[in-house]
Amino acid sequence: MRFGFTEEQQRFRADVRKSLLSAEVRAAAVEATGAEGVEPDARPLYRLLGKLGLLAVHWPVEYGGEGRPLTDAAIVAEELVRAGIPDTFHVNTIQIAGQFLLMAGSDEQKRRYLPAMARGESFASVLYTEPDAGSDLGALRTVAEPDGDGYRITGTKVFSLKTRFVDLGLCAARTRPGGGKYQGISLFLVDMGAPGVTVSVIPGIGDEHFHQVGLDSVAVPGDDLLGTRDEGWPLLNEALAIERTGLDYYLKAEHWLDAALEALTDAAPGSPYDDSLEQIGRSYGALTADRVLAWEVLTGIASDRIDPVAAAVAKYHSSELAQSVAAWAVHIPTPEQRADRTGAAATLDSAYREAPGLTLSAGTSEVMLQIVAAAFDSIGQEEH
């Protein structure tokens, strides 16, 4: 594949970068960035980004977007991370929940929810994972029982991010218990302020807090069912492939590598840390490959070609790289740099605490390898 950006894309990137370099955005980004276990409210920053039209550029104009290509949305995502913008709200609300609404929502649902998301006034969390199910969504036990024109959802979800700040939960639940493992699953938009919803923090070491969400017979209107009842599994598969572009993971690896290089540059000449420069070079080489993999997946999605195998490769390689960079680079800062507790040293310390979850979220590395292996096995069977 020959990959490059058009002149229009380069102009668009320059405009986005200029907006993110404004004093107002930079100050808001600092206020929204967590450190040492303190998680600030990033919603004021996102309301500012919404006013600048930078949250959902690829959404149709009638739903609050600018009608630009999906590839322009990826350019925005790159520049947000490079500008130091905490990206979890963007990933969960725009890239996952919003994209799911675009893909499977009714016209009424899109009109009701998407414009506020695009303005940075409404946020969503992803409620898939359960205590005993892990990454296996086919093992989920949350149930949605019919109740008049709607449903009552009961169950427990874990490891969701930013949940105490959000308005909506994209929730997977069983609407036909007793069927096959991947049958009878439906998707709902849950009002996180509804009676019966409880949100608690799961103790952890990361700057962003994981949450547990209890759903105790939570009333959900029938209008908040996403797609066709009992047919959620195919939608989840398609949505997860879109989520596994590798974009978010290679951007983390890039950010952490830049911090490692900054720490090395600031270290005293002739220090033993000079030995790390070879590793820096090799990691930047792997990072270049990951960016090409991610953009191959993204350009395919933009052309309505969703390749689950290519997405699995991109997600696997980029998340493994980011995790390995964090594990290696945490040892780079000198004692003097660590004492400062800011800048590159703080970034690398935070990376080390965040990294363990990267090869679990959006599907474990083992699941990604299974997807790739199954594809090659299928090819082998066809050849015979």
Side-chain angles (χ1 to χ4, degrees):
M1 171 184 177
R2 295 187 63 186
F3 170 71
F5 292 102
T6 66
E7 290 185 4
E8 169 57 28
Q9 288 173 324
Q10 291 171 341
R11 283 193 295 269
F12 178 66
R13 184 185 295 277
D15 290 340
V16 171
R17 189 171 295 175
K18 181 179 179 181
S19 295
L20 294 176
L21 285 174
S22 71
E24 188 178 13
V25 172
R26 292 174 67 181
V30 171
E31 291 294 323
T33 301
E36 299 182 3
V38 177
E39 184 177 27
D41 185 354
R43 288 176 293 184
L45 168 63
Y46 272 78
R47 284 193 286 272
L48 175 57
L49 296 174
K51 289 179 181 177
L52 294 173
L54 293 177
L55 293 181
V57 297
H58 67 298
W59 291 1
V61 174
E62 60 265 35
Y63 302 135
E66 297 183 15
R68 302 187 71 93
L70 177 65
T71 47
D72 282 358
I75 288 173
V76 171
E78 286 186 332
E79 294 306 317
L80 288 174
V81 173
R82 290 168 181 168
I85 305 293
D87 68 340
T88 302
F89 273 145
H90 191 260
V91 172
N92 286 349
T93 301
I94 304 298
Q95 296 181 29
I96 299 178
Q99 192 63 36
F100 213 112
L101 270 162
L102 285 175
M103 180 176 67
S106 66
D107 288 341
E108 191 276 331
Q109 288 172 332
K110 294 173 186 177
R111 287 193 298 270
R112 182 160 31 121
Y113 292 115
L114 291 179
M117 291 180 179
R119 293 193 302 267
E121 297 174 357
S122 179
F123 301 91
S125 189
V126 179
L127 306 181
Y128 293 166
T129 305
E130 299 186 1
D132 298 319
S135 293
D136 183 6
L137 292 180
L140 65 85
R141 297 181 180 178
T142 296
V143 296
E145 299 176 324
D147 180 44
D149 294 334
Y151 299 85
R152 292 273 179 178
I153 298 182
T154 301
T156 302
K157 301 293 183 176
V158 292
F159 302 132
S160 58
L161 291 169
K162 300 294 186 189
T163 315
R164 62 195 176 99
F165 298 116
V166 306
D167 314 284
L168 296 171
L170 176 59
C171 180
R174 290 198 178 276
T175 42
R176 195 178 66 200
K181 184 176 182 180
Y182 302 110
Q183 297 174 346
I185 296 175
S186 300
L187 280 299
F188 297 89
L189 289 170
V190 176
D191 178 0
M192 297 300 289
V197 177
T198 57
V199 178
S200 57
V201 174
I202 299 174
I205 61 174
D207 292 334
E208 287 190 302
H209 299 152
F210 286 115
H211 297 84
Q212 176 171 302
V213 178
L215 303 165
D216 183 9
S217 191
V218 177
V220 177
D223 290 342
D224 284 334
L225 170 69
L226 269 175
T228 304
R229 175 177 166 171
D230 297 334
E231 298 299 326
W233 184 250
L235 289 176
L236 280 169
N237 270 340
E238 187 173 352
L240 283 170
I242 293 174
E243 187 179 343
R244 293 167 180 164
T245 63
L247 177 70
D248 306 315
Y249 301 97
Y250 92 71
L251 286 170
K252 290 183 186 295
E254 178 185 78
H255 181 53
W256 297 342
L257 274 171
D258 288 347
L261 185 58
E262 179 185 341
L264 284 169
T265 303
D266 292 341
S271 72
Y273 302 105
D274 290 345
D275 297 337
S276 299
L277 291 176
E278 179 181 349
Q279 182 63 43
I280 286 277
R282 292 182 181 277
S283 296
Y284 273 116
L287 182 67
T288 300
D290 279 336
R291 192 182 190 210
V292 172
L293 284 170
W295 275 93
E296 181 176 3
V297 176
L298 286 162
T299 52
I301 293 172
S303 301
D304 294 324
R305 299 191 312 272
I306 298 176
D307 186 340
V309 178
V313 171
K315 195 276 171 181
Y316 170 80
H317 197 271
S318 58
S319 63
E320 290 284 342
L321 174 64
Q323 190 177 85
S324 67
V325 166
W328 160 74
V330 73
H331 303 293
I332 288 177
T334 64
E336 293 78 13
Q337 289 171 328
R338 292 186 186 283
D340 184 38
R341 306 183 72 84
T342 61
T347 296
L348 295 176
D349 181 64
S350 177
Y352 184 73
R353 289 182 280 113
E354 179 182 356
L358 299 185
T359 55
L360 300 175
S361 61
T364 66
S365 288
E366 289 77 12
V367 169
M368 299 304 100
L369 291 174
Q370 288 174 1
I371 292 172
V372 176
F376 277 100
D377 183 57
S378 176
I379 293 172
Q381 290 178 1
E382 290 177 1
E383 290 178 347
H384 288 85

